């Protein structure tokens, strides 16, 4: 599982931009042969020293992004893209990747999904930061509001669309998002930044220092305060956010073969929200404005040993996540150990195998509305994986592997995958894959009891019917959701300036999670149980193109289409509506266009345009973000950012358990100084 | 009512478009660095026969060094022996090399220690490389590349640097 932190793991044979060499965090990618398809090798060795000294140079990546040679739909968000996006949080950054749907539910909540199945409780994505899983074992989704770091210290973000179960493990059903921060060696010196705006203020400081001969360290502090979004035109939504975080990272390479990393962060957040809840004796729903308190901390260590022909890697971490709301107090501790070995047993074979063990202990103190039984549970998860990448000839690579994972709820789960990539020349590549992925039931699916009231039924002038109180009961026999995925992709470097990447997919889902009514009062179901009664197919494509229009102007665009047809395996009354929600939970169409324009050596102007198709209950919207930046001298940058410039406010996503709000038009100014 | 756009606003944009035509002639940085390394090899003399007399071994500590541009050296000649390129070299294997190129993210001190007192030239494009004891440093000067020589280190390896190379270096570190 070590390499789960790096989508650039061996089998993916990823070529990434320019200097995006993975060192620690990326681990294995170094050993991966990459193919740079930018142009034929430029041989300048006939030039004399005098001529070379006079030559004006530019870096390759400014011209053309190398075609990546992964047999998967992968996209890399570079540090330069991060800086120029103007985004101030991790989920906002993910908008940059093709095929990723990011929606603001309120000022402190997001939905992030890939290829359908979105929503706050979207639970088909594996999200990692420096090798640590960010998704909550409670519901297998990510509390994005509790994930942060100094964005300038991110090396890059890799986004895989599609299943990545073989190496990456459970929950990597629809995709993997891998956030990799820089080696401490690359963040030496100080960095200070401050931001002031209509919607958000924040600031932070990082300092990096060399410790001894071969060790480097950095430490940081950051703070962010976000104002309320809008509930209506002149009504604030009471969903502000305040958070602070501190952390450190040490990287050391005592000799040429060994290296290790130690890193830790501590986070505190206070978010306002309006919870949709129920109370005993009160008919219908009650709205409860409250402050949610979040405390997270973790510590991670990793050691890597290289030898001629192979590499060992060991990683361990501890993570504590607390979230306190009126209805539920959560405290979740995760202990995780992983080991991995990569070597070449025979000519043309590259084998990678490993295993991992994870212990999750939790304490979930509920309320009338939501409760867990038992309130405390310890869960173990262990896995083994093996994968072989076979090079038939330099143009044809085949990867086969499987993960074997054991969990306490459903036992052993096997997730095999086979991938092939054919690169007849350095301008084209064609790849395909077949994989099986599972989504293991979360603690909530198994042990949660939730009381809720369905929305009132309107009878027009005659009034409304308030529906009775319903309960979703736990289901100890809940099963995994399973999926078989077929993918086919093609990439081409049309010219030195233009390339495109097409990925198509067809997923066959079985045992999708549903809520199955087991007791009725009249026509109204009052008791539901989680079940695996859904099945369906999902298909679509993503087309992304990149055009270096001139030395100073780069345009990138993408269009993604995704359709989901789900049905019930057994036709039970009252269950259909839930499946309908499923089908509409992700946008069918997503379009984005990014322009990066370097006006002069120290002025840049960047624009991002998005069109997101309607969701079930959210209208389609267009979003325009702009950023203007000035670097008066190296290390100093002033920028002005405008977000959501098209309209005074719009909704982006809904949630079932808190009130959603509308994203306002906003502006901020930022200064960033490194020394 | 909308205000008309004043034509002056467009001037900076037009200048931007004009300048990019000139800069399109720039050379790829990685390819230029690879060519520098080839030139260094030409202007340094190795004493007598070395461990593998039938080839001249250029090593890189990483794979895909200089975005793959270093592979142009493969098969070129140093005197009358062919240049062999090895990438991703570490540990003891470094001692078989004639030249070691240390790219960005490698641990410089570790590699330098490994090849100390050997007839091996170390080259890197990391800042302050020669101050750390490296042999030849490639540095970016605006949008040009130049180089620095640590004559002490190269002499200590028992190698000889041609005067022409010394003449063109931007900086020479020497205790003499």
């Amino acid at each position: 599982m070590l390499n789960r932190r790096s989508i650039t793991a061996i089998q993916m044979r990823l070529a990434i931009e320019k200097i995006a060499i993975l060192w620690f965090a990326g681990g294995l990618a170094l050993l991966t042969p990459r193919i740079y398809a930018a142009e034929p090798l430029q041989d300048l060795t006939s030039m004399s020293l005098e001529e070379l000294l006079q030559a004006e140079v530019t870096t390759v990546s400014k011209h053309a992004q190398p075609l990546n040679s992964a047999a998967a739909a992968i996209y890399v968000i570079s540090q330069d893209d991060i800086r120029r996006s103007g985004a101030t949080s991790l989920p906002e950054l993910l908008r940059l990747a093709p095929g990723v749907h990011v929606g603001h539910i309120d000022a402190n909540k997001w939905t992030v999904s890939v290829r359908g199945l979105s929503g706050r409780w979207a639970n088909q994505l594996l999200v990692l930061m420096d090798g640590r899983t960010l998704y909550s074992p409670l519901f297998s989704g990510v509390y994005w509001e509790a994930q942060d770091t100094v964005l300038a210290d991110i090396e890059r973000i890799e986004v895989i669309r599609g299943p990545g179960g073989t190496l990456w493990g459970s929950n990597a059903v629809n995709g993997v998002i891998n956030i990799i921060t820089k080696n401490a060696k690359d963040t030496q010196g100080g960095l200070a930044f401050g931001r002031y705006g209509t919607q958000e203020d924040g600031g932070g400081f990082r300092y990096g220092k060399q410790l001894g001969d071969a060790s480097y360290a950095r430490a940081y502090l950051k703070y962010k305060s976000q104002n309320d979004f809008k509930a209506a035109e002149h009504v604030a939504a009471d969903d502000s956010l305040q958070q602070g975080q501190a952390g450190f990272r040490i990287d050391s390479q005592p000799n040429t073969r060994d290296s290790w990393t130690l890193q830790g962060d501590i986070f505190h957040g206070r978010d306002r929200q309006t919870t949709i809840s129920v109370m005993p004796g009160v008919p219908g729903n009650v709205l409860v404005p409250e402050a949610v308190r979040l405390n997270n901390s973790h510590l991670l260590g990793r050691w890597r040993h290289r030898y001629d022909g192979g590499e060992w890697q060991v990683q361990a971490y501890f993570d504590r996540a607390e979230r306190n709301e009126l209805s539920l107090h959560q405290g979740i501790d995760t202990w995780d150990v992983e080991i991995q070995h990569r070597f070449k047993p025979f000519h043309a074979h590259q084998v990678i195998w490993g295993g991992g063990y994870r212990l999750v202990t939790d304490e979930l103190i509920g309320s009338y509305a939501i409760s867990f039984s038992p309130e405390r549970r310890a869960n173990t998860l262990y896995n083994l994986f093996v994968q072989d990448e076979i090079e038939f000839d330099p143009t044809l690579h085949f990867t086969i592997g499987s993960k074997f994972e054991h969990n306490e709820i459903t036992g052993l789960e096997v997730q095999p995958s086979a991938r092939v990539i054919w690169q007849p020349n350095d301008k084209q590549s064609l790849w395909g894959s077949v994989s099986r992925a599972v989504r293991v039931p979360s603690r909530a699916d198994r042990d949660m009891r939730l009381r809720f009231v369905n929305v009132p039924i309107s009878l027009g002038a005659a009034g409304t019917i308030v529906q009775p109180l319903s309960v979703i009961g736990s289901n100890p026999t809940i099963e995994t959701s399973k999926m078989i995925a077929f993918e086919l992709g093609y990439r081409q470097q049309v010219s030195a300036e233009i390339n495109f990447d097409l990925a198509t997919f067809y997923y066959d889902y079985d045992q999708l999670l549903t809520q199955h009514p087991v007791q009725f009062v009249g026509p109204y179901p009052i008791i539901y149980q989680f079940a695996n009664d859904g099945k369906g197919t999902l298909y679509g494509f993503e087309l992304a193109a990149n055009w270096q229009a001139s030395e100073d102007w780069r345009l990138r665009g993408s269009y993604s289409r995704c359709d989901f047809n789900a049905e019930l395996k057994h036709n039970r009354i009252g269950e259909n509506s839930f499946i309908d929600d499923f089908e509409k939970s992700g946008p069918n169409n997503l379009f984005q266009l990014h322009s990066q324009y370097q006006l002069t050596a120290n002025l840049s102007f960047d624009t991002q345009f998005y069109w997101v198709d309607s969701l079930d209950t959210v209208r389609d919207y267009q979003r325009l973000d702009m950023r203007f930046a000035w670097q008066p001298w190296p290390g100093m940058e002033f920028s002005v950012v405008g977000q959501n410039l098209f309209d005074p406010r719009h909704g982006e996503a809904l949630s079932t358990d808190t009130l959603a709000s509308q994203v306002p038009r906003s502006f901020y100014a930022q200064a960033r100084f490194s020394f | 009512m909308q205000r008309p756009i004043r034509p002056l606003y467009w001037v900076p944009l037009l200048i931007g478009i004009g300048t990019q035509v000139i800069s399109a002639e720039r050379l790829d940085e990685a390819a230029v660095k690879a060519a520098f390394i080839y030139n260094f090899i030409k202007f340094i003399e190795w004493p007598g026969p070395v461990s593998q007399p039938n080839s001249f071994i250029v090593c890189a500590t990483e794979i895909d060094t200089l975005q793959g541009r270093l592979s142009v050296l493969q098969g070129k000649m140093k005197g009358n022996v062919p240049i062999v390129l090895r990438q991703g070299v570490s540990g003891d294997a470094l001692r078989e090399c004639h030249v070691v190129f240390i790219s960005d993210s490698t641990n410089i001190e570790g590699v330098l220690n490994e090849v100390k007192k050997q007839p091996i030239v170390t080259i890197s494009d990391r800042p302050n490389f020669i101050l750390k004891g490296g042999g030849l440093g490639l540095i970016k000067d605006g949008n040009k590349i130049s180089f620095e020589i640590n004559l002490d280190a190269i002499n200590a390896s028992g190698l000889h640097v041609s005067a022409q190379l010394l003449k063109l270096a931007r900086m020479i570190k020497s205790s003499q």
Side-chain angles (χ1 to χ4, degrees):
Chain A
M1 306 202 338
L2 315 188
N3 56 315
R4 283 203 228 127
R5 88 194 34 94
S6 157
I7 292 167
T8 46
I10 297 296
Q11 100 285 14
M12 303 268 180
R13 302 185 61 251
L14 163 68
I16 40 172
E17 286 184 59
K18 194 173 97 161
I19 43 170
I21 294 169
L22 312 182
W23 186 236
F24 274 99
L28 298 154
L30 283 177
L31 311 152
T32 308
R34 298 184 200 134
I35 292 179
Y36 285 85
E39 55 225 70
L41 274 188
Q42 207 176 353
D43 187 347
L44 305 175
T45 52
S46 56
M47 288 174 75
S48 70
L49 273 176
E50 288 85 348
E51 288 168 330
L52 287 170
L53 287 165
Q54 291 309 314
E56 301 236 332
V57 298
T58 182
T59 44
V60 168
S61 68
K62 269 191 104 180
H63 278 308
Q65 239 183 324
L67 274 192
N68 85 52
S69 53
I74 187 166
Y75 187 83
V76 178
I77 302 171
S78 70
Q79 171 52 230
D80 193 48
D81 298 336
I82 291 172
R83 186 176 54 84
R84 296 179 74 158
S85 72
T88 59
S89 68
L90 288 175
E92 292 293 318
L93 283 177
L94 298 173
R95 287 185 202 270
L96 295 173
V100 177
H101 171 237
V102 177
H104 245 308
I105 295 167
D106 66 17
N108 57 55
K109 292 179 188 64
W110 285 266
T111 166
V112 175
S113 66
V114 174
R115 295 179 178 170
L117 305 184
S118 86
R120 169 126 164 105
W121 312 112
N123 50 24
Q124 313 261 342
L125 271 185
L126 177 60
V127 184
L128 299 157
M129 191 192 286
D130 289 336
R132 181 173 52 93
T133 55
L134 299 189
Y135 74 84
S136 166
L138 180 65
F139 68 101
S140 306
V142 177
Y143 286 114
W144 283 102
E145 60 272 31
Q147 314 300 337
D148 201 7
T149 190
V150 175
L151 301 187
D153 288 348
I154 296 176
E155 163 103 27
R156 66 181 188 285
I157 301 174
E158 301 166 335
V159 179
I160 292 184
R161 309 181 300 273
T166 304
L167 261 88
W168 303 73
S170 295
N171 220 42
V173 180
N174 277 11
V176 183
I177 292 172
N178 191 18
I179 301 158
I180 297 162
T181 68
K182 290 178 179 172
N183 189 304
K185 183 159 50 178
D186 300 325
T187 52
Q188 293 293 290
L191 173 80
F193 58 93
R195 195 163 49 236
Y196 184 78
T198 58
Q199 215 36 57
E200 187 188 323
D201 305 329
F205 180 75
R206 177 261 288 154
Y207 192 73
K209 195 171 170 359
Q210 185 165 3
L211 309 171
D213 276 353
S215 304
Y216 298 83
R218 71 161 174 263
Y220 73 89
L221 271 170
K222 75 176 281 192
Y223 169 77
K224 182 154 74 179
S225 169
Q226 172 109 37
N227 300 333
D228 293 329
F229 274 6
K230 294 269 187 276
E233 194 174 345
H234 296 293
V235 185
D238 189 16
D239 56 358
S240 64
L241 163 157
Q242 259 126 35
Q243 62 186 42
Q245 183 166 346
F248 76 96
R249 174 167 171 159
I250 302 170
D251 287 289
S252 178
Q253 189 168 15
N255 55 58
T256 55
R257 291 165 181 275
D258 295 284
S259 54
W260 57 266
T261 301
L262 183 70
Q263 62 189 108
D265 298 274
I266 183 159
F267 168 94
H268 176 72
R270 194 185 143 87
D271 301 349
R272 298 286 308 171
Q273 69 180 25
T274 304
T275 309
I276 305 169
S277 190
V278 292
M279 283 179 181
V282 181
N285 285 308
V286 284
L287 297 178
V288 187
E290 62 170 323
V292 183
R293 279 168 296 118
L294 303 150
N295 286 302
N296 285 3
S297 51
H298 73 267
L299 188 67
L300 177 143
R302 186 182 314 123
W303 173 67
R304 190 166 82 124
H305 176 73
R306 290 208 282 176
Y307 62 93
D308 297 337
E311 181 186 84
W312 284 94
Q313 191 166 284
V314 181
Q315 173 188 286
Y317 70 82
F318 168 71
D319 182 281
R320 164 104 188 143
E322 283 175 31
R323 184 183 172 92
N324 292 308
E325 301 170 65
L326 290 175
S327 55
L328 182 66
H329 292 252
Q330 316 174 15
I332 299 173
D333 291 338
T334 304
W335 301 85
D336 187 283
V337 183
E338 298 166 355
I339 185 161
Q340 176 177 291
H341 181 211
R342 178 199 55 78
F343 66 109
K344 285 187 160 177
F346 322 104
H347 174 69
H349 285 256
Q350 176 99 258
V351 172
I352 180 165
W353 70 276
Y357 172 83
R358 182 180 299 166
L359 170 67
V360 179
T361 60
D362 61 34
E363 186 179 54
L364 305 167
I365 310 297
S367 61
Y368 176 74
I370 176 170
S371 60
F372 282 78
S373 170
E375 283 189 332
R376 290 178 186 78
R377 199 187 262 286
N379 252 309
T380 55
L381 188 74
Y382 44 92
N383 70 67
L384 274 175
F385 70 89
V386 60
Q387 171 178 295
D388 186 13
E389 182 186 337
I390 307 152
E391 183 180 320
F392 283 117
D393 70 62
T395 65
L396 188 64
H397 288 246
F398 184 68
T399 307
I400 185 157
S402 183
K403 172 155 227 148
F404 307 90
E405 186 165 72
H406 184 273
N407 70 84
E408 286 187 5
I409 303 175
T410 62
L412 184 70
E413 298 293 343
V414 182
Q415 302 187 73
S417 137
R419 293 174 184 273
V420 62
I421 183 160
W422 180 53
Q423 295 177 293
N425 52 52
D426 62 2
K427 301 260 186 284
Q428 288 166 294
S429 64
L430 182 67
W431 62 271
S433 77
V434 183
S435 16
R436 178 181 192 269
V438 303
R439 184 231 164 215
V440 171
S442 66
R443 173 86 147 95
D445 305 336
R446 183 193 192 187
D447 297 328
M448 184 178 72
R449 188 178 167 85
L450 179 73
R451 288 189 169 89
F452 66 100
V453 175
N454 279 318
V455 285
I457 298 166
S458 172
L459 301 176
T464 54
I465 298 175
V466 175
Q467 296 212 43
L469 183 74
S470 309
V471 176
I472 297 179
S474 58
N475 183 354
T477 60
I478 197 81
E479 282 290 323
T480 46
S481 307
K482 299 173 198 296
M483 182 256 260
I484 305 275
F486 302 89
E487 292 178 282
L488 199 60
Y490 177 70
R491 302 184 185 101
Q492 187 177 355
Q493 186 86 39
V494 181
S495 68
E497 293 81 28
I498 298 173
N499 62 48
F500 72 86
D501 185 335
L502 174 70
T504 63
F505 54 93
Y506 177 88
Y507 295 176
D508 192 358
Y509 285 102
D510 198 8
Q511 298 189 188
L512 277 171
L513 200 65
T514 53
Q515 293 167 12
H516 146 218
V518 288
Q519 201 179 322
F520 294 83
V521 168
Y524 308 114
I526 54 162
I527 298 180
Y528 295 85
Q529 210 172 35
F530 284 118
N532 297 101
D533 286 347
K535 66 172 187 176
T537 54
L538 179 125
Y539 50 90
F541 67 91
E542 294 119 4
L543 177 65
N546 181 33
W547 179 34
Q548 190 75 40
S550 76
E551 172 86 3
D552 305 306
W553 190 25
R554 184 178 180 192
L555 274 173
R556 272 178 295 183
S558 72
Y559 170 67
S560 319
R561 168 88 199 177
C562 182
D563 291 277
F564 187 35
N565 295 318
E567 59 186 84
L568 284 171
K569 292 164 78 175
H570 322 286
N571 207 6
R572 293 191 175 104
I573 306 159
E575 204 167 23
N576 292 319
S577 61
F578 189 74
I579 288 285
D580 287 347
D581 291 346
F582 247 114
E583 284 189 53
K584 289 177 196 143
S585 67
N588 289 125
N589 298 289
L590 269 175
F591 174 78
Q592 49 178 263
L593 187 64
H594 305 294
S595 154
Q596 294 185 335
Y597 193 71
Q598 193 73 38
L599 295 166
T600 68
N602 54 12
L603 288 179
S604 62
F605 178 62
D606 303 315
T607 312
Q608 288 126 36
F609 169 78
Y610 301 89
W611 174 63
V612 181
D613 202 356
S614 60
L615 296 173
D616 194 13
T617 41
V618 180
R619 287 182 52 187
D620 69 312
Y621 64 89
Q622 290 148 40
R623 180 184 165 114
L624 183 73
D625 297 348
M626 283 182 172
R627 177 180 186 270
F628 184 77
W630 175 47
Q631 280 185 303
W633 59 84
M636 186 88 212
E637 186 187 71
F638 296 101
S639 55
V640 181
V641 174
Q643 290 169 321
N644 307 300
L645 296 174
F646 274 148
D647 47 20
R649 61 195 162 84
H650 66 253
E652 292 189 354
L654 286 185
S655 169
T656 50
D657 64 331
T658 57
L659 287 187
S661 56
Q662 299 199 305
V663 188
R665 183 184 286 143
S666 65
F667 298 91
Y668 73 78
Q670 176 170 279
R672 185 164 130 172
F673 177 48
S674 57
F675 52 93
Chain B
M1 193 189 84
Q2 279 200 332
R3 283 191 339 193
I5 298 169
R6 276 188 272 163
L8 259 184
Y9 288 166
W10 295 98
V11 172
L13 286 175
L14 294 174
I15 292 169
I17 291 162
T19 48
Q20 56 89 11
V21 177
I22 301 157
S23 54
E25 292 303 312
R26 287 181 185 177
L27 296 170
D28 168 35
E29 179 175 338
V32 169
K33 286 178 176 173
F36 263 107
I37 294 169
Y38 178 68
N39 272 280
F40 295 156
I41 295 169
K42 280 201 300 194
F43 290 108
I44 298 176
E45 281 170 37
W46 271 257
V50 267
S51 56
Q52 292 201 31
N54 294 327
S55 52
F56 184 87
I57 302 170
V58 175
C59 297
T61 54
E62 311 251 309
I63 288 169
D64 277 333
T65 314
L66 298 175
Q67 287 124 57
R69 299 290 191 238
L70 202 58
S71 3
V72 298
L73 299 189
Q74 181 77 36
K76 292 223 157 47
M77 303 297 279
K78 157 75 175 166
N80 47 17
V81 293
I83 294 175
V84 173
L85 180 67
R86 292 187 188 165
Q87 306 200 60
V89 182
S90 66
D92 298 346
L94 285 166
R95 295 174 176 229
E96 293 169 14
C97 315
H98 294 95
V99 171
V100 175
F101 182 73
I102 307 170
S103 33
D104 268 9
S105 43
T106 315
N107 173 268
I108 291 172
E109 289 80 2
V111 176
L112 291 179
N113 249 337
E114 197 77 45
V115 303
K116 204 188 250 172
K117 300 263 162 67
Q118 303 288 320
I120 296 170
V121 171
T122 55
I123 307 174
S124 175
D125 52 3
R126 291 285 292 173
N128 300 325
F129 179 64
I130 69 164
L131 296 178
K132 292 173 179 161
L136 280 155
L138 286 168
I139 42 182
K140 199 165 173 188
D141 234 349
N143 46 27
K144 292 179 181 174
I145 307 287
S146 59
F147 64 97
E148 307 173 325
I149 300 182
N150 182 349
L151 201 54
D152 292 347
I154 296 180
N155 286 342
S157 326
L159 306 179
H160 179 71
V161 181
S162 101
Q164 199 187 350
L165 199 56
L166 293 174
K167 199 176 69 189
L168 294 171
R170 204 186 79 164
M171 187 174 104
I172 299 170
K173 181 169 173 270
S174 168
S175 51
Q176 287 156 18

